């Protein structure tokens, strides 16, 4: 059982993976790019959104069971928040009108100064203080109005940008929707292609591997049996050892031939070296005789050994004539040994029987392999029928998508018309708001240019325009708010209600807007049921909620598991081979036999028994003697000694002759003694190798014979069990391919294959388009319009108050101009001096009284005081104020009781 598990574990599971297409259009549209500034308004709208949508009402409206008026009346019952917003917009739009009417109907404030008998300095201080106060008020109101205008300009820009964003999104909506439908069709085709690939190619791969295993039964079944038997019997090693016996004989013969060749070459060189060495000895003797008396002791120390002293030539000649070596050389020649020839033949036959066992197994299992292939063909046909059902179902879904695309073409024409109307309305409102803002801005410009009269009139005109435009802007704001808020409520809130998608599930799954009656198993189950062929056999209904499908698609799960397609295809039951008895019986019939291994080494055992009678040879003493002999080392020692003695010789001629003798000895060593030393080493090596080969030879024959007997005994008793176990493992391997295909198909289909992430991307793209590219700018548009409406409500009183301030400053400026233009004539001055001298306590200048009267009188009343003496004095300019003096006479000394008299 453990062997079976190991066999299944080593089965390769590298099935071909499906390749998903990357030709989707949605990712190239750039819907996720850009900043969505007004997304925060959705949070605000969520506070005024009813918690539960009237799903039944929407469903009835979708199927036109209720009228549009009834839909509005029912919606008003749950839209109190929107009604409050509309009321606020309307009330704020009335603020400019109400304030303008109140300002126009109110009485203008009295700017008169309190006339009376008071001091001139006090009156002038009051006038200057009033002027300073009005200028301060003018600056403050102008600054506040500038801030409001800046905010209005920002609001106008926001209105223009959001309106253009809405128009751009509306223009791109058909493209996005068509792209989404094209991507949906692409996804369906790609999913069908991937699932078909996994199912069909996976089975084809498993079938191909089973066929390969059946064709390779010799390698997968025969060879494992061979390996197992070889492992437990060591038959291969035994065969190799027997081959080594034959090889050893050949090696012995070859080694002796090499030894004889080395001996012959060594003998030839030794003869020449002996002659040269004798000459060197003669030259050394002559040199010693020529040494001076003082250097002779050093020269006498020089010695050199000849071949007679070493005995190398005698040892070489003895080895060449050794009869034992000749016997071993003849034993190693297989062609001349009938035992070795017979052993080689029987060994070749036994090895062929053992090694050709795998081929015998393949020949014996051909019929069983044909039956297995027939059953696999039936499985492939059933799987192809299953894939055909899948293709028909997905083909119908693709057809529905295409029909939807054709239907959308007519819808988008109306959609564009509505979008164009909304864009024109937004553009007109933006331009209107901009024009009113420019009127206020021009009023401020006039004020900066000191044209106070024109600035005041322009401000009043701006206030009147605000009163008129506020009503239109409030209506536009209400309309945009209703569209944006209801779009947020009915579109964005259900689409972004992650992860439960409660509202969307109520709208689509139960009770569902598409079907007049509530779908029994949800919209996905209904779509699959309608798209599946009429003869499809459902194992169970598809019961998956829309929220679960969206969440799994967001995680990139496989379409097969997400949409429970196994309920339609029932693939897991069809690819289970254990439920196919014909296929199981065909696989069970495949096996191997043990008959070829019974008693196939008997003749080899008999031959090995005859090879145990071989002679033995001991070459140790000869090898040791040759090892100790080294003429090359003797000459090298002589050369070294000669160099040391030459360095100590005092006579230059003797030293030179020694150097020359050393050079000759070096040439002798390099040309003859070094090669002879190498040959001596080769002879020692061949003797050592021969000794090492010959000594274990007999033991090897005996050992091989023993192992061969034990191996044959094991084959006769245990080969049957080994063949049965290995056959069972091989059958488990065949089943393992089918199990691997089933596991691979189940895992890939439910996990990696045909990921439904593109569906979520389509869903996400659509909600991104309608919520962030349309609804967010639409909410931004009404919010910007409301901001402008609110700023108008603030700007109206600022404009009117600033206009009043301009008017009062103009009047005050006129009074100050009149006050500073008083002039006196000469006669009046004389009179005044006289009166001053005689009546100082009862007289004062009348110009104070005139100024007081100017502050409290109208222009007609002032005309009485102007130009009174124009005809009396020639030097008086036209329109100048003529100064008269009034005498105050007090009665009874009471300063409060006085009367005036003109002097």
């Amino acid at each position: 059982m453990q062997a079976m598990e190991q066999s299944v574990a080593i089965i390769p599971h590298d099935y071909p993976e499906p390749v998903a297409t990357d030709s989707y259009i949605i990712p190239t549209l750039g819907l996720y790019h850009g900043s969505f500034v007004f997304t925060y308004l959705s949070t605000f709208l969520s506070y005024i959104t009813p918690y539960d949508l009237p799903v039944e009402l929407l469903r009835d409206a979708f199927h036109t069971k209720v009228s549009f008026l009834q839909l509005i009346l029912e919606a008003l019952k749950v839209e109190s928040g929107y009604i409050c917003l509309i009321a606020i917009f309307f009330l704020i739009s009335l603020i400019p009108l109400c304030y303008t009417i109140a300002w126009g109907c109110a009485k203008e404030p009295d700017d008169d100064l309190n006339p009376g008998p008071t001091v001139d300095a006090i009156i002038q201080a009051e006038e200057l203080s009033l002027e300073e106060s009005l200028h301060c008020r003018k600056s403050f109101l102008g600054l506040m109005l500038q801030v409001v205008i800046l905010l209005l300009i920002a609001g106008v820009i926001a209105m223009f940008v959001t309106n253009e964003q809405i128009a751009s999104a509306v223009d791109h909506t058909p493209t996005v929707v068509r792209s989404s439908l094209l991507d949906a069709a692409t996804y369906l085709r790609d999913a069908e292609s991937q699932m078909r690939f996994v199912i069909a190619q996976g089975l084809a791969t498993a079938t191909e591997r089973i066929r390969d295993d059946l064709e390779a039964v010799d390698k997968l079944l025969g060879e494992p049996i061979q390996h197992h038997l070889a492992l437990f019997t060591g038959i291969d090693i035994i065969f190799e050892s027997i081959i080594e016996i034959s090889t050893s004989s050949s090696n012995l013969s070859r080694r002796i031939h090499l030894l004889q060749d080395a001996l012959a070459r060594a003998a030839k060189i030794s003869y020449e070296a002996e002659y040269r060495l004798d000459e060197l000895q003669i030259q050394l003797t002559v040199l010693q005789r020529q040494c001076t008396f003082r250097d002779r002791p050093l020269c006498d120390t020089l010695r050199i050994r000849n071949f007679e002293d070493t005995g190398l030539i005698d040892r070489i000649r003895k080895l060449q004539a050794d009869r034992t070596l000749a016997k071993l050389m003849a034993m190693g020649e297989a062609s001349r040994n009938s035992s070795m020839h017979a052993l080689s033949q029987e060994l070749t036959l036994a090895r062929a029987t053992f090694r050709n066992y795998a081929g015998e197994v393949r020949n014996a299992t051909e019929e069983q392999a044909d039956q297995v292939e027939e059953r696999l063909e039936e499985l492939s046909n059933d799987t192809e029928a299953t894939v055909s059902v899948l293709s028909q179902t997905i083909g119908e879904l693709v057809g529905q998508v295409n029909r939807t695309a054709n239907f959308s073409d007519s819808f988008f024409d109306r959609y564009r018309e509505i979008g164009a109307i909304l864009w024109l309305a937004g553009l007109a409102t933006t331009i209107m708001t901009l024009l009113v803002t420019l009127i206020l801005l021009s009023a401020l410009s006039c004020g900066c240019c000191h044209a106070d009269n024109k600035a005041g009139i322009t401000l009043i005109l701006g206030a009147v325009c605000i009163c008129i435009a506020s009503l239109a802007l409030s209506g536009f704001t209400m309309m945009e708010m209703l569209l944006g808020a209801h779009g947020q409520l009915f579109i964005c809130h259900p689409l972004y209600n992650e992860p439960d998608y409660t509202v969307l599930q109520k709208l689509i799954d139960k009770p569902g807007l598409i079907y007049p009656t509530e779908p029994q198993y949800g919209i996905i189950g209904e779509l699959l049921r309608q798209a599946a062929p009429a003869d499809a056999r459902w194992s169970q209904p598809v019961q998956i909620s829309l929220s679960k499908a969206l969440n799994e698609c967001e995680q990139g799960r496989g379409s097969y598991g997400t949409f429970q397609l196994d309920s339609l295809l029932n693939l897991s039951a069809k690819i289970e081979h254990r439920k196919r008895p014909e296929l199981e019986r065909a696989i069970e019939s495949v096996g191997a036999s043990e008959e070829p291994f019974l008693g196939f080494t008997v003749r080899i055992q008999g031959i090995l028994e005859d090879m145990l009678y071989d002679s033995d040879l001991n070459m140790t003493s000869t090898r040791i003697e040759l090892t100790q002999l080294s003429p090359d080392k003797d000459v090298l020692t002589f050369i070294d000694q000669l160099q040391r003695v030459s360095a100590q010789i005092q006579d230059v001629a003797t030293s030179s002759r020694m150097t020359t003798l050393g050079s000759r000895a070096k040439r002798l060593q390099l040309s003859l003694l070094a090669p002879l030393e190498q040959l001596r080493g080769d002879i020692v090596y061949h003797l050592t190798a021969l000794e090492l080969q010959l000594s274990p030879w007999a033991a090897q024959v005996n050992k091989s014979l023993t192992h061969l007997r034990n191996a044959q005994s094991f084959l006769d008793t245990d080969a049957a069990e080994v063949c049965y176990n290995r056959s069972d493992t091989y059958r488990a391997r065949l089943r393992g391919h089918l199990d691997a295909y089933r596991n691979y198909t189940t895992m890939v289909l439910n996990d990696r294959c045909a990921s439904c992430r593109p569906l979520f991307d389509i869903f996400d793209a659509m909600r991104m388009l309608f919520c962030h590219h349309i609804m967010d700018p639409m909410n931004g548009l009404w919010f910007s319009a409301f901001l402008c409406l609110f700023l108008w409500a603030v700007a109206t009183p600022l404009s009117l108050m600033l206009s009043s301030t301009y008017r009062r400053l103009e009047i005050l400026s006129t009074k100050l101009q009149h006050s500073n233009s008083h002039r006196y004539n000469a006669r009046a001055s004389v009179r005044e001096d006289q009166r001053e001298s005689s009546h100082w306590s009862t007289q004062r200048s009348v110009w104070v009284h005139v100024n007081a009267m100017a502050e409290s009188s109208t222009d007609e009343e002032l005309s009485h005081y102007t130009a009174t003496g124009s005809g009396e004095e020639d030097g008086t300019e036209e329109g100048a104020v003529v100064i008269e003096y009034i005498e105050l006479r007090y009665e009874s000394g009471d300063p409060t009781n006085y009367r005036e008299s003109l002097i």
Side-chain angles (χ1 to χ4, degrees), residues 33-259:
H33 300 162
S35 59
F36 307 104
V37 181
F38 296 99
T39 304
Y40 65 90
L41 288 175
S42 60
T43 304
F44 167 73
L45 292 175
S46 63
Y47 291 108
I48 63 174
T49 300
Y51 293 102
D52 295 324
L53 293 178
V55 180
E56 291 78 7
L57 178 62
L58 293 177
R59 182 167 174 268
D60 293 339
F62 184 83
H63 294 288
T64 64
K65 293 183 178 180
V66 295
S67 63
F68 183 73
L69 180 60
Q70 290 176 338
L71 179 63
I72 294 177
L73 293 177
E74 293 294 332
L76 290 177
K77 297 179 181 179
V78 293
E79 294 185 348
S80 57
Y82 296 152
I83 296 175
C84 291
L85 277 181
I86 291 174
I88 291 173
F89 295 163
F90 182 72
L91 292 177
I92 291 177
S93 67
L94 293 179
I95 290 176
L97 179 61
C98 295
Y99 187 87
T100 302
I101 294 174
W103 178 82
C105 296
K107 182 180 179 180
E108 292 294 330
D110 190 6
D111 294 332
D112 295 344
L113 295 175
N114 186 19
T118 181
V119 184
D120 297 347
I122 297 176
I123 296 175
Q124 288 182 348
E126 288 179 355
E127 292 175 350
L128 293 176
S129 176
L130 178 60
E131 183 182 15
E132 182 180 358
S133 175
L134 289 176
H135 278 291
C136 180
R137 184 177 181 183
K138 168 191 171 183
S139 300
F140 175 75
L141 292 176
L143 176 63
M144 293 299 296
L145 190 58
Q146 289 177 12
V147 173
V148 171
I149 290 175
L150 289 177
L151 293 177
L152 279 171
I153 293 174
V156 170
I157 294 174
M159 289 176 64
F160 179 78
V161 171
T162 52
N163 189 54
E164 290 301 320
Q165 287 179 345
I166 296 172
S168 177
V170 169
D171 290 339
H172 284 84
T173 299
T175 302
V176 174
V177 173
R178 291 192 185 96
S179 300
S180 300
L181 294 175
L182 290 176
D183 282 358
T186 302
Y187 157 74
L188 290 173
R189 287 190 291 266
D190 183 55
E192 187 269 337
S193 175
Q194 291 188 55
M195 287 186 284
R196 171 186 284 274
F197 181 88
V198 170
I199 298 172
Q201 292 299 324
L203 181 59
T205 301
T207 303
E208 186 65 24
R209 289 178 178 176
I210 292 175
R211 288 173 179 168
D212 292 342
D213 288 352
L214 292 174
E215 292 179 359
V217 67
D218 50 347
K219 298 180 180 179
L220 299 176
L221 180 57
E223 291 182 3
I225 293 176
Q226 286 180 252
H227 295 162
H228 184 85
L229 294 177
L231 178 64
F232 282 89
T233 62
I235 193 69
D236 288 334
I237 300 175
I238 296 172
F239 287 156
E240 293 296 331
S241 65
I242 296 174
I243 293 174
E244 288 178 1
I245 294 173
S246 302
T247 306
S248 298
S249 300
S250 301
N251 290 339
L252 286 173
S253 178
R254 185 169 60 254
R255 183 65 63 186
I256 294 172
H257 279 293
L258 294 174
L259 178 62

Side-chain angles (χ1 to χ4, degrees), residues 224-430:
I225 293 176
Q226 286 180 252
H227 295 162
H228 184 85
L229 294 177
L231 178 64
F232 282 89
T233 62
I235 193 69
D236 288 334
I237 300 175
I238 296 172
F239 287 156
E240 293 296 331
S241 65
I242 296 174
I243 293 174
E244 288 178 1
I245 294 173
S246 302
T247 306
S248 298
S249 300
S250 301
N251 290 339
L252 286 173
S253 178
R254 185 169 60 254
R255 183 65 63 186
I256 294 172
H257 279 293
L258 294 174
L259 178 62
Q260 291 294 340
D261 182 64
L263 288 171
R265 289 187 285 120
K268 182 178 179 180
I269 294 176
S270 62
Y271 293 146
E272 180 69 21
E274 183 180 12
Y275 173 76
R276 297 282 297 279
L277 198 59
D278 290 341
E279 290 182 351
L280 188 64
Q281 180 65 41
I282 293 171
Q283 293 175 3
L284 177 61
T285 302
V286 174
L287 178 63
Q288 289 176 343
R289 291 175 183 177
Q290 294 176 353
C291 289
T292 62
F293 177 78
R294 185 173 50 186
D295 295 330
R296 188 175 296 278
L298 289 174
C299 292
D300 291 340
T301 59
L302 297 173
R303 294 287 185 272
I304 185 171
R305 296 180 64 187
N306 55 19
F307 277 76
E308 292 179 359
D309 296 333
T310 59
L312 179 62
I313 296 177
D314 294 337
R315 299 296 184 274
I316 292 174
R317 291 172 180 174
K318 184 179 178 180
L319 284 174
Q320 284 180 325
D322 195 313
R323 294 182 178 272
T324 306
L325 291 177
K327 180 182 178 180
L328 289 175
M329 187 170 59
M331 184 185 297
E333 296 177 358
S335 61
R336 298 179 183 180
N337 192 332
S338 60
S339 298
M340 293 301 297
H341 182 69
L343 179 62
S344 298
Q345 289 182 347
E346 291 298 329
L347 182 62
T348 301
L349 180 60
R351 293 182 68 181
T353 302
F354 188 81
R355 292 182 175 179
N356 292 335
Y357 176 75
E360 294 293 333
V361 171
R362 179 175 181 177
N363 295 331
T365 57
E366 287 183 355
E367 184 178 355
Q368 291 82 0
D370 293 338
Q371 294 179 1
V372 173
E373 291 185 4
E374 290 178 2
R375 304 288 85 80
L376 290 176
E377 189 66 24
E378 294 177 359
L379 177 60
S380 298
N381 294 334
D382 292 345
T383 306
E384 183 64 27
T386 301
V387 173
S388 178
V389 173
L390 175 65
S391 300
Q392 294 179 24
T393 302
I394 294 184
E396 179 61 26
L397 291 175
V398 172
Q400 292 181 7
V401 172
N402 293 333
R403 288 191 293 272
T404 304
N406 296 332
F407 170 76
S408 64
D409 293 337
S410 59
F411 170 77
F412 284 132
D413 295 335
R414 183 62 178 170
Y415 179 79
R416 289 192 188 93
E417 294 177 359
I418 296 175
I421 294 173
L422 291 177
W423 176 77
L424 288 175
L427 183 62
T429 305
T430 305

Side-chain angles (χ1 to χ4, degrees), residues 568-583:
L568 171 63
L569 304 180
N570 198 18
L571 183 64
S572 58
K574 292 180 180 179
I575 63 176
E576 179 57 58
H577 63 88
R578 292 178 181 82
K579 297 182 180 180
R580 292 180 173 273
E582 297 84 359
L583 180 58

Side-chain angles (χ1 to χ4, degrees), residues 20 26 125 275 419 447 459 472 573 580 596 647 732 824:
I26 287 296
Y275 173 76
L459 287 174
R580 292 180 173 273
Y824 306 91

